[in-house]
């Protein structure tokens, strides 16, 4: 396997990781606020903050990781994406900044401040929308290169059915993934009232999630026919994704095996995401950057791959420790002890 | 004209983000060291005062870390958004340290999360203390890696430039460029120093205003002692940095020192002002000191500014940044030494109000020195973004929206600063350490009170 393929696979893996952990986090923020509005916060908020508190920082790193790795392996992307994404990128940074810091302000300082909670909930839906712009413009047709630089065609972006269907897909996926995870977490905590509530959310958001996937597919055929046809060649990958979706919803509907249900959700998105990524190649950013044109020199690619492996050897045990202490430790999940600072 | 404006705004936006981030990054690197030391002393001496100290520092630290993380994310992305042409080229060479920095940050984030939520969770307190080690290592390593990137921009090496692209890249050589050792040493030692000075400043202030208890006096002694150690290290690092500059970036040192003519036995110019003819007025001149600073020899030749082509000259006002940074550095060293002397000489009053005010002042001053130092280092390499290879103007974005983004981020940083201050106030206001001591360690607190009386 050549370096660029290793590079893009590594990056895709991290983006997938971000998709899962960030969705749980983004959706949880939204549900926490929604529960407050509907006066059900006493049911689930403790549960949510018990999960979020030790992991909120880690979530952010997945994204930075993907981003830094992308520029590292494919420096040409910095040139095109950097110029085109200045505005949407900056908005995403501002939203991430508000979200991250206000979480800490609320959680460690002004407990139960409704305004902070609102910001936390709202940004959780706006960030996926802003970030998904990056995926949208990579399909081609949204940026132009002229003598004085690269420009984003804002009008095209705002009037395109494809870009809106991606935004919609991003938001409903967040709510779906998050509510499926919270169902699992509530089940582990033996918290029946919370489970009833988040299980309702999960079942509710499952249908828009699958519908949005289909409409995005249809819109893609309009936007980028080549990509669409390649995706059709990989029909079996998307078929596995749909099968995993049905399994997940079935298990939650029956109210059994929540752990397996969430694994099925992860499998569902794994296949959908890798199918999408594989059919996107060889373009990273159509038509300016391809896998081979944008890649960094060999020496750097080798160094990055080595560091990546060394880094994983460090990170994986640490992440396992984190999960054992806070995700799989029954005492902690049930909130029997308060270990706070 | 339009291009020029874009460059100036891009520069200002980056400067604003970096100066804001530097505050939280410095605290982020330095405070874990003090927390770890305090917790360790607490366990060794079985003195809950120190444990409580570590705990309360950590509580405030969490808030600053949050702001540090989000502004760090901002600068990480802004590098590509605002300097796309620079990143397209330099990305081939600096990707490695950037990538490793993210690893270090990841490592720190994981263990900070664990550290925060496992107080009292282990039977043996040393296990919890052990968790602070990866936090210290992660923070310091991320400072190390990111500083190598900045060093590379000052003394680029490890590549050939052919037709606008880097070839024959050697990532290790690029990382360990000539500027790396002194810069890393200076950044890390001054971050530790600043964190110690800020925490010492807070302890001194509370003793002054609210009398303070045994808890605050222990805090003061611990932090000022560490301040003294780190101030010596920082002075050493600063001296090595000046010698590095004399050899590799003579124009930066010369601009910082207003040293125009190449000469032997050069004087050190302290403060003063420049008239229209670039002559120095009202300055304190220390004979031959610049030669000593630059080469360790009072008679050595020091290259002057006149050797540098005019269009490659950095702005001359960085002289003040240099002088202010160094002055504050010596102030921190002096005041901490003075306190230690007062402490050891039994007759003298360790808690003399003037001395305490001096320490209280050291906190904000040390942070200012960090900012001045960064301004000196960064403005001192203008007009280059990659010294000798690419000017700042060639690296900036062409997007017409930079000005709007500048306003957007200015508002963001204002909101973050306000939120941070309000939250810190809320955490500590009305919750004095003594009360928490009684609540957490009722027997110990009672026993101490008897002993005190």
């Amino acid at each position: 396997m050549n370096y660029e393929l290793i590079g893009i696979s590594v990056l895709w893996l991290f983006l997938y990781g971000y998709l899962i952990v960030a969705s749980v986090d983004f959706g949880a923020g939204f549900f926490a606020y929604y529960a407050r509005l509907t006066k059900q916060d006493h049911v689930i908020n403790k549960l949510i903050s018990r999960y979020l508190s030790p992991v909120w920082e880690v979530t952010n790193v997945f994204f930075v990781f993907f981003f830094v790795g992308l520029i590292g392996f494919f420096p040409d992307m910095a040139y095109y994406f950097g110029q085109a994404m200045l505005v949407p990128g900056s908005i995403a940074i501002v939203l991430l900044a508000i979200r991250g810091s206000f979480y800490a302000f609320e959680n460690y300082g002004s407990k139960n401040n409704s305004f902070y909670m609102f910001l936390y909930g709202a940004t959780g839906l706006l960030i996926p929308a802003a970030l998904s712009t990056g995926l949208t413009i990579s399909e081609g047709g949204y940026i132009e290169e002229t003598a004085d630089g690269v420009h984003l065609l804002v009008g095209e972006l705002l009037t395109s059915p494809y870009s809106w269907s991606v935004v919609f897909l991003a938001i409903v996926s967040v709510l779906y993934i998050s509510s499926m995870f919270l169902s699992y977490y509530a089940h582990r905590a033996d918290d029946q009232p919370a489970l009833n509530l988040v299980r309702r959310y999960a079942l509710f958001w499952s249908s828009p999630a699958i519908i949005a996937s289909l409409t995005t597919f249809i819109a893609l055929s309009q936007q980028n026919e080549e990509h669409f046809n390649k995706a059709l060649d990989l029909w079996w990958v998307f078929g596995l994704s749909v099968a995993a979706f049905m399994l997940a919803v079935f298990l939650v509907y029956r109210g059994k095996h929540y752990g397996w249900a969430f694994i099925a959700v992860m499998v569902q998105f794994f296949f959908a995401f890798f199918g999408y990524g594989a059919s996107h190649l060889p373009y990273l950013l159509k038509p300016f950057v391809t896998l081979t044109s944008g890649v960094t020199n060999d020496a750097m690619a080798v160094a990055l791959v080595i560091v990546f492996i060394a880094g994983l050897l460090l990170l994986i045990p640490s992440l396992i420790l984190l999960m054992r202490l806070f995700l799989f430790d029954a005492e902690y999940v049930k909130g029997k002890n308060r270990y706070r600072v | 004209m339009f291009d020029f404006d874009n460059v100036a705004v891009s520069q200002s936006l980056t400067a604003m983000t970096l100066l804001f981030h530097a505050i939280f990054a410095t605290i982020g690197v330095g405070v874990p060291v003090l927390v770890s030391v305090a917790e360790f002393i607490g366990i060794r001496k079985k003195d809950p005062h120190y444990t409580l100290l570590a705990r309360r520092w950590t509580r405030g630290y969490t808030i600053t870390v949050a702001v540090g993380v989000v502004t760090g994310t901002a600068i990480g992305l802004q590098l590509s958004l605002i300097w796309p042409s620079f990143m397209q080229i330099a990305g081939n060479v600096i990707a490695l340290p950037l990538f490793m920095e993210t690893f270090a940050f990841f490592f720190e984030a994981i263990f900070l999360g664990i550290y925060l939520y496992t107080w009292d969770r282990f039977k043996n307190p040393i296990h919890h203390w052990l968790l602070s080690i990866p936090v210290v290592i992660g923070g310091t390593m991320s400072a190390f890696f990111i500083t190598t990137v900045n060093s590379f921009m000052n003394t680029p090496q490890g590549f050939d430039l052919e037709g606008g692209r880097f070839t024959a890249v050697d990532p290790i050589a690029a990382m360990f460029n000539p500027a790396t050792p002194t810069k890393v040493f200076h950044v890390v030692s001054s971050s530790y120093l600043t964190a110690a000075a800020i925490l010492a400043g807070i302890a001194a202030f509370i003793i002054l205003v609210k009398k303070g208890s045994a808890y605050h006096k222990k805090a003061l002694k611990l932090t000022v002692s560490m301040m003294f150690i780190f101030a010596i290290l920082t002075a050493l690092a600063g001296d090595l940095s000046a010698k590095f500059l004399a050899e590799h970036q003579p124009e930066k040192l010369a601009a910082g020192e207003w040293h125009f003519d190449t000469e032997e036995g050069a004087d050190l110019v302290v403060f003063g002002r420049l008239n229209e003819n670039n002559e120095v007025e009202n300055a304190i001149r220390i004979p031959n000191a610049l030669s000593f600073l630059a080469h360790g020899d009072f008679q050595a030749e020091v290259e002057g500014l006149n050797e540098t082509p005019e269009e490659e000259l950095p702005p001359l006002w960085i002289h003040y940044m240099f002088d202010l940074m160094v002055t504050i550095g010596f102030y921190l060293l002096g005041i901490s030494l003075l306190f230690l002397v007062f402490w050891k000489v039994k007759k003298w009053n360790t808690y003399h109000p003037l001395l305490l005010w001096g320490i209280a002042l050291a906190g904000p001053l040390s942070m200012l020195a960090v900012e001045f130092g960064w301004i000196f280092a960064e403005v001192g390499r203008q007009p280059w973004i990659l010294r000798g290879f690419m000017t700042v103007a060639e690296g900036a974005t062409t997007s017409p929206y930079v000005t709007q983004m500048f306003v957007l981020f200015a508002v963001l940083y204002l909101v973050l600063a306000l939120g941070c201050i309000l939250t810190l106030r809320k955490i500590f206001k009305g919750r004095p350490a003594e009360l928490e001591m009684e609540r957490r360690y009722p027997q110990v607190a009672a026993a101490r009170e008897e002993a005190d009386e």
Side-chain angles (χ1 to χ4, degrees), chain B residues 129-150:
Chain B
W129 174 76
L130 284 174
L131 290 167
S132 71
I133 304 288
V135 180
V136 171
I137 293 176
T140 303
M141 287 314 277
S142 78
F144 167 72
F145 290 123
I146 207 65
T147 309
T148 67
V149 174
N150 184 275

Side-chain angles (χ1 to χ4, degrees), chain A residues 211-233:
Chain A
I211 292 169
S213 314
L214 291 174
T215 50
T216 308
F217 237 123
I218 296 165
L220 180 66
S221 72
Q222 312 275 309
Q223 184 66 34
N224 184 343
E225 213 185 326
E226 195 189 338
H227 185 177
F228 178 73
N229 288 332
K230 280 197 187 138
L232 284 187
D233 290 344

Side-chain angles (χ1 to χ4, degrees), chain B residues 86-125:
Chain B
F86 164 70
M87 283 304 279
Q88 184 185 23
I89 291 194
N92 287 294
V93 191
I94 56 172
L96 185 68
L98 282 176
F99 202 54
M100 287 160 99
E101 199 262 351
T102 328
F103 266 116
F105 171 38
F106 213 146
F107 191 61
E108 184 189 1
I110 291 174
F111 279 95
L112 183 62
I114 298 177
Y115 184 78
L116 287 176
Y117 287 87
T118 50
W119 287 93
D120 308 330
R121 189 162 168 174
F122 304 109
K123 285 211 176 67
N124 187 346

